[in-house]
Amino acid sequence: MFGSLVSQLPIRLPSISYQAIGPELILFGAALVVLALSATVGRREHPQLYRGIGLFAAVAEGAWSANLLRLIDQHGPSLAIAGAISNDGFSAVVGIIVAAALVLTMLIGPGFVESVAGQGPEFVTLLLLSATGAIVMAQANDLIVVFLGLEILSIALYVMVGFRLRDGLSREAAFKYFILGGFSSAVFLYGVALVYGATGSTNLVKIAAFLSSHVLINNGVLLFGIALILVGFGFKVSAVPFHVWSPDVYQGAPTSVTGYMAAMAKIAAFAALLRVMMVAFHLQLEFWRPIVIALAVLSLVFGAVFALRQREIKRMLAYSSINHAGFILLGVLAATSGGVRDSLFYLGAYSVMVIGTFGLISLIQVDAGKVEGSLSLDDVRGLGRRRPAVAVLLAILILAQAGAPFTSGFIAKFSVITAVISVNEYWIAVVAMVTAAVAAAFYLRLVLALFSKDEAEVGVGDALYPVAVRGGSDQGLRLSTASLVPIWIGIWASVAITVFFGLFPTLLLDLVSRGKIFY
Amino acid sequence: MTVLDWLIALPALGALVVPMMSLPPENQRLIRYFGIAIALVELGLAIGMAVAFKLHTSSYQFVTKVHWIGAFGIAWYLGADGISLVLVLLTAVLFAIAMFTMKGVKDYRAYVGWMLLLEAACMGSFTALDLFLFFVFFELTLVPSYFLISDFGLGASGRAAIKFFVYTFAGSALLLVGIVSLVFIHDHQTGHLTFSLPALMHTRLPKGTAILLFLAFAAAFAVKTPIFPFHTWSPDTYRSAPIPAVVILAGVMAKLGAYGLIRFNLELFPATSRELAWLMLTLGVVGILYGAIVAAGERDLGRMVAYSSLSHMGFIVLGIFAFSTEGLSGSTLQMVNHGIYTAAIFLLLGMIYERRGTLDMNKLGGLQKKAPIFAGVFILVVMGMIGLPGLNGFVGEFLILLGTFITHRWWAVVAVLGVVLSAVYLLWMYQRVFHGEAKDDRSFRDLAPREALLLLPLVALIVVLGVYPIPLLSRINPTTSAIVHHVASAPALGNSGAPQAVASIVTGGAK
């Protein structure tokens, strides 16, 4: 009886292209190396070593992806590992963006996170693992592999969000993120199951082939599956109305983790979303575009409007990231190769900006003695006097997020607007730009606070002494010069990239326009 | 590189250098001198450009074109015609004066840096011939003005700065969508993705689309100008911004709106402009009357001048949409005139504020006896604003009314009321502030030599341009008559030839 259930045939493994999955192997391997080292040379003795390995892995992953991109340009894209992995320009470009986000986080994050999570290898390991998940999602050509990547990414993020164990807010955030994240994964998986039921495959290319050669008389199951998949992605990118977790999580997570999460979760989820929608369901465009339009418009409007009411900076940036998600969704709903390019540009520009922004907020928190916790607008009032460099750099990044000219944020907004206009959705472009104007108000409120003359909340002591001295109580974190160096390198790099690609966007545009999805 | 590149590059470079000048407090003046020097060199460049400018031609001069963002067909494309030229001159003059006026500023570095960046952005806006480049500069003006208003302003300047930013940004949001839509329509028709103005002028537009695009462009410029009913940001902003910033905001940046209407609305949508002229003319006339009436009721000098500015900008809009050479030349000239006398009046208001700490008319009075020279300069500027023959305001207003009367008689007839009203409220204001009983026995210092020197160029210009406007008019006229011809000769909006265009827009989804 069992003979019919258990196949007698030997299991045939597909041939594995190690070159195609090189990026994942590098990151995952580095994570294992860090863990093994920490077990042998001592957990807390060598934080610099772990970070060095992480940085090296991130750079190597970027270089490998760049090389893949070069090879793909020469020889064309292909599918690998029995069609489960897509080795195309899109995944290589996302690999490069992931590498950039990872390098910046490796530079900025560990110095701060050490203060809350100790000097162990956990942070670096989890960063590497989550980035592995992101790359799996970008390469996945099969809904099950998408789910695999999603879980690798998410589980690492759940842990990182809960790093500040002693803080109730952080515990709440981690729990909320875990419960809602798990729930959304389940919804996603249910959607995958329905799509499998309707089309007989989880492979994106096979789904597309099936849908182009068959006419479904009753396509309800398929459409419901697509809708559930969109809901799952909506949770991950925190698009309205699936955004309720994000302000709490952004506030509760350690600041560096927030910045990383804002960047990496978006890169990964949007990469997978773009590929799934463009490859598998391109023929169903007329059905899913209205859903994506609704998600985009709601995210744009509510992200901008709710942010106006926030006085807590990390919560405000959470709503701002919802607004950004709406902008990136514009590129998705266009569903053209131009839209893919513009979404990728936005993702790259946004990731760099947001990681730098949260790095600077971490620095301000160190000054204010609030280690990686929450930070209110009043805390940064008059910062321009006390820490001009921090204030100016933060102002540049905030203005870039608002879309000021000659920053990459401006070109990013411009390019997604062109994407929706090219498919004749003019009113959405108008809505998007109007929300950008509303969003400018809260960004400017932050900038206004930074350079405010009104120092009512700041005592005489604050004005007289450098702030690092003021925090001198034992609760405050004092960063050694050695750990400040990489932090400043990371922050300057993020500002420099933001301004450079604002002045010369052609370089980045050329890169992301090579990110073509293969199908 | 032509002189236009340098006009933008010089202040931009200056703005980059200034933040690096970390000097000890006693040498802060050096930064100020640096700013003044750059502004003066810039003025020299602008004058050199005016001298080298070829008369009797309406084509763009000093053209420079370099590819910038190839993927979108965006180029660094600059050029100047007569209208650009006079506005560049105005910008250079007013920035030089604004640089001299900083007094009581603590942080020279930020101040000079933002001013120089703003100057680069204004110069860029007036000379850009690529729509994207124009938009970039147009937006870029917001950032430095925001910081100038919020950091150096009077009273609750932070809120005013945010209001200013959000209002103008919302306006330009529509502009961006309009620009991109136009470019894509042009791309679908010709297969040539470009943002260059001369190329886009030949886009064929179906009627509905043309009207929507016209309105999208006009909205952005109407906020910036400001045109009634998009003016609500301006009284708050003019009232709380620091004086040098107001000189620039009201003197230069308000002209960006009117300039945009001429350069983009008239040139890109000539037939639509004819079609919708009634709307713009009506808004202009309503602005003239509404601004004048509210100004008459204002007690605060700053807000009063803001509303009078709304009224005067109404005249400029009137001249633009009159579609006669006289009207358009008058509008262009009036932009310069308005810039000059608004700058002068705000400088004078700043001096009153410095001496008395208030701009409330009820708390001022009898200043003429205490400061006769000050009062003399003030009345001269006020007369220029009213449009007394022999002073600059007269020439512009006269040409505008003449030009409008030829083509759109009834609007001109109503607008003349505005001239009368402006005489009423300005003279009334003068009377209350300078005549009558002094409200207290505090003395009121007369013009110091430094202040007099600052005002001298403006006052001289008010008189010279009133008596002899020919040097400007001869540079403006070829351009304006070409534009008027362009508008008049454009085929009327209709659905002829449009079906093909519509089909290509609707079907062409792929980029």
Side-chain angles (χ1 to χ4, degrees), chain A residues 39 85 99 119 204 214 236 251 266 292 313 342 352 437 451 487:
Chain A
I85 289 285
Q119 300 193 322
L204 301 184
H214 295 70
K236 288 298 164 200
Q251 184 182 12
K266 275 200 185 56
V292 178
I313 293 174
D342 301 333
V352 170
F451 295 100
I487 291 171

Side-chain angles (χ1 to χ4, degrees), chain B residues 37-338:
Chain B
I38 293 220
L40 287 178
V41 174
E42 185 88 349
L43 180 60
L45 279 177
I47 291 174
M49 175 181 151
V51 172
F53 190 83
K54 285 197 267 316
L55 300 177
H56 311 300
T57 168
S58 64
S59 57
Y60 299 115
Q61 305 187 24
F62 315 106
V63 173
T64 164
K65 190 171 186 178
V66 184
H67 285 289
W68 181 25
I69 308 177
F72 290 115
I74 296 166
W76 176 268
Y77 184 17
L78 304 173
D81 59 7
I83 299 174
S84 303
L85 174 78
V86 293
L87 290 172
V88 164
L89 276 173
L90 173 73
T91 310
V93 170
L94 292 189
F95 267 97
I97 287 171
M99 280 292 180
F100 274 104
T101 46
M102 30 186 172
K103 200 182 160 192
V105 173
K106 278 183 203 144
D107 189 357
Y108 276 123
R109 266 203 292 172
Y111 193 88
V112 173
W114 290 127
M115 282 299 256
L116 288 175
L117 187 61
L118 186 56
E119 180 162 22
C122 287
M123 290 292 184
S125 309
F126 284 133
T127 54
L129 291 180
D130 183 285
L131 267 67
F132 181 85
L133 191 62
F134 171 79
F135 183 79
V136 168
F137 282 124
F138 191 71
E139 289 293 281
L140 190 61
T141 56
L142 294 184
V143 179
S145 6
Y146 166 80
F147 281 102
L148 283 171
I149 298 168
S150 74
D151 292 3
F152 302 94
L154 328 162
S157 57
R159 291 198 147 273
I162 290 181
K163 193 172 178 184
F164 159 77
F165 194 103
V166 172
Y167 268 64
T168 35
F169 196 82
S172 33
L174 293 173
L175 176 63
L176 180 65
V177 175
I179 289 177
V180 177
S181 311
L182 179 68
V183 166
F184 274 94
I185 291 171
H186 181 261
D187 180 34
H188 291 318
Q189 282 177 6
T190 62
H192 182 45
L193 186 64
T194 176
F195 279 76
S196 109
L197 175 66
L200 292 173
M201 277 162 68
H202 304 296
T203 314
R204 291 190 316 277
L205 294 168
K207 187 171 181 180
T209 314
I211 287 177
L212 283 177
L213 286 178
F214 178 90
L215 291 177
F217 276 69
F221 301 135
V223 174
K224 200 88 156 191
T225 307
I227 296 174
F228 179 89
F230 301 100
H231 62 280
T232 43
W233 59 270
S234 74
D236 291 344
T237 307
Y238 288 1
R239 176 63 188 83
S240 48
I243 294 304
V246 184
V247 167
I248 300 305
L249 278 175
V252 178
M253 283 174 58
K255 308 303 169 298
L256 271 175
Y259 170 80
L261 285 176
I262 301 177
R263 174 69 75 233
F264 298 104
N265 279 49
L266 291 195
E267 296 201 353
L268 288 172
F269 316 109
T272 325
S273 303
R274 282 204 316 259
E275 194 101 332
L276 290 180
W278 62 272
L279 175 68
M280 302 305 287
L281 289 169
T282 309
L283 288 181
V285 170
V286 172
I288 292 172
L289 298 182
Y290 174 83
I293 292 167
V294 178
E298 274 294 343
R299 296 282 172 273
D300 184 281
L301 287 173
R303 293 179 71 89
M304 193 214 75
V305 177
Y307 279 110
S308 102
S309 198
L310 174 67
S311 174
H312 287 151
M313 292 310 286
F315 278 103
I316 295 177
V317 175
L318 201 64
I320 293 174
F321 286 92
F323 308 127
S324 58
T325 311
E326 292 85 357
L328 196 53
S329 295
S331 282
T332 312
L333 191 63
Q334 189 65 359
M335 284 196 234
V336 178
N337 294 335
H338 179 263

